Amino acid sequence: MDKKKPYLVLIVIQSIYAGMYMLSKAAFNEGMSTYVFVFYRQSLGTIFLAPIALIFERKTAPLLPFTTFFKMFLLSLIGITFSLNLYGFALNYTSAALAYATSNMIPVITFFLSILLGMETVKLKRASGISKLAGVALCAAGAITIAFYKGPSLKSFIHHHLSTQHSSSRAAHAVSAQPTKKWIEGTFLMILCNTTWSMWIVFQGRLMQDYPAKLLFTTLQCLCSAVQSFFVALAFERDISRWMLGFDVGLAAVAYSGIVVSGFTYYLQGWCIEKRGPVFLAMSMPLAFMITIVGSSFALGEVISLGSALGGALMIGGLYSVLWGKSKEQKDLRLLVQDTKECLEEKEIKDTPFQSI
């Protein structure tokens, strides 16, 4: 059961993120400010996590050096504040399904960063190395397909949607009505968002080695991001009415993203990174792709374009090509270790002098 825990946690994480993509898109469709949304989300996550972290890790957490806190602040700025605000801005130009389709590039970007940091290797003369490179190429092809080819809209098998009629109608025509230039800009902004998110995943694993108290680590990141997001929202949203929350989908999106995603999921991600490393977490991104496609069609009335479906399929193919390469590499390493161990045991037997009793 202990071996299965990381995989079960990954399924939970990606299911939660699928809900976030759909709820936040619904809130933005209703006119909620993306900048205010990020600020409220991170603030609520901090309020939710702080008492839990103090209760469970107040006595066991190590002292926090200023240099480590400064690294946390920078990591929150790049990987959370900048990434989430960029995501919200890009989502206005695209769709929830496309957002999750492009998120399939996160494993490959994370893999590249891990290579640069010496955490991963690529052996081009072996099948595993070729498979990894092929996966990278497929992911790049998928991103280009999504950005530059829309194609016909795929007919939805669901005709009744949970959102309001006005919002559903607007979401259903988003793919065809969105100008091509804005769609391309939104796609590449989403890829940039995924790049900063990948940097956050990789560097978070290294920083947690300096400060292993996961609950306090997550709480401090949420706090830093909340402060940063407040000044970002203040700079872009001067109208006080844009800061008001009502009993609508905007409040539900803030509560869900703040408590469940920023509060609960960030902790689970830290746990997965600590147990299996950043690439293991990143490789789970496609699990929620089909959930988001079906969910956004049902809840938001979004129409999926052929280009998004093809691009998403290419990215998933690329992802699992990289996964196969990593699995092959680990299998070869295990065989090498086993053969080396057997050779050493044989040598030890041969070198042991015969002793008669």
Side-chain angles (χ1 to χ4, degrees):
M1 186 64 189
D2 288 339
K3 293 181 179 179
K4 294 179 180 179
K5 276 184 181 179
Y7 296 96
L8 294 175
V9 170
L10 285 183
I11 294 173
V12 172
I13 289 173
Q14 297 308 323
S15 299
I16 290 172
Y17 272 121
M20 183 202 73
Y21 274 79
M22 291 180 285
L23 262 180
S24 56
K25 178 61 176 177
F28 299 155
N29 284 347
E30 295 291 340
M32 185 174 189
S33 167
T34 58
Y35 307 108
V36 174
F37 170 81
V38 173
F39 165 64
Y40 281 142
R41 165 186 168 171
Q42 295 307 107
S43 299
L44 192 57
T46 305
I47 295 169
F48 173 75
L49 273 176
I52 300 175
L54 290 174
I55 291 171
F56 287 100
E57 292 184 343
R58 181 181 57 184
K59 296 180 180 180
T60 59
L63 293 175
L64 180 63
F66 176 77
T67 53
T68 303
F69 177 76
F70 185 68
K71 289 177 183 178
M72 282 186 189
F73 184 87
L74 290 179
L75 188 63
S76 300
L77 179 64
I78 296 171
I80 302 179
T81 305
F82 180 75
S83 180
L84 290 179
N85 280 284
L86 192 63
Y87 157 77
F89 186 75
L91 194 59
N92 284 325
Y93 290 163
T94 55
S95 66
L98 182 136
Y100 225 113
T102 55
S103 71
N104 289 304
M105 289 197 73
I106 290 178
V108 178
I109 298 169
T110 305
F111 179 67
F112 263 128
L113 291 173
S114 298
I115 290 175
L116 293 175
L117 294 172
M119 299 168 69
E120 291 284 340
T121 57
V122 176
K123 297 178 180 179
L124 299 178
K125 293 183 179 180
R126 295 189 178 182
S128 58
I130 295 172
S131 179
K132 288 178 180 179
L133 288 181
V136 172
L138 283 172
C139 280
I144 292 171
T145 301
I146 290 174
F148 295 104
Y149 175 68
K150 287 185 182 180
S153 299
L154 302 180
K155 187 177 180 180
S156 175
F157 58 90
I158 298 170
H159 303 288
H160 301 283
H161 311 296
L162 297 180
S163 58
T164 61
Q165 183 177 358
H166 175 68
S167 297
S168 297
S169 177
R170 180 170 55 189
H173 294 88
V175 173
S176 58
Q178 192 67 263
T180 301
K181 183 179 178 181
K182 294 292 185 183
W183 184 268
I184 294 173
E185 287 178 1
T187 301
F188 282 102
L189 285 174
M190 199 67 74
I191 292 172
L192 179 59
C193 164
N194 294 332
T195 301
T196 57
W197 189 262
S198 299
M199 292 172 63
W200 179 65
I201 291 175
V202 172
F203 288 110
Q204 184 179 195
R206 289 205 161 187
L207 192 55
M208 284 184 68
Q209 295 175 2
D210 299 331
Y211 196 76
K214 292 186 290 295
L215 277 171
L216 281 172
F217 182 88
T218 306
T219 304
L220 288 171
Q221 283 197 98
C222 284
L223 176 62
C224 291
S225 179
V227 174
Q228 295 159 0
S229 300
F230 172 74
F231 288 104
V232 172
L234 198 63
F236 286 95
E237 293 295 347
R238 301 295 181 88
D239 186 0
I240 192 64
S241 63
R242 300 277 285 171
W243 291 71
M244 304 298 291
L245 286 175
F247 291 95
D248 53 14
V249 69
L251 180 61
V254 167
Y256 180 89
S257 299
I259 296 174
V260 182
V261 179
S262 296
F264 183 59
T265 308
Y266 283 7
Y267 173 79
L268 292 180
Q269 287 181 168
W271 184 87
C272 274
I273 291 171
E274 184 182 50
K275 295 293 182 182
R276 294 295 184 90
V279 175
F280 176 78
L281 172 64
M283 289 299 174
S284 67
M285 297 305 294
L287 291 176
F289 181 54
M290 292 306 298
I291 298 175
T292 308
I293 285 182
V294 175
S296 60
S297 177
F298 175 68
L300 305 178
E302 285 188 349
V303 176
I304 310 302
S305 70
L306 179 61
S308 294
L310 288 176
L314 286 171
M315 286 181 173
I316 291 176
L319 170 66
Y320 286 103
S321 179
V322 174
L323 274 176
W324 184 88
K326 282 184 64 64
S327 176
K328 174 69 174 173
E329 193 174 65
Q330 291 171 357
K331 184 179 179 180
D332 291 344
L333 181 61
R334 285 194 299 269
L335 290 174
L336 179 62
V337 171
Q338 185 178 355
D339 291 343
T340 303
K341 185 178 179 181
E342 289 176 356
C343 288
L344 289 173
E345 288 175 353
E346 289 177 4
K347 186 176 185 301
E348 185 179 348
I349 292 171
K350 289 179 181 179
D351 292 343
T352 301
F354 178 77
Q355 295 179 353
S356 60
I357 301 176

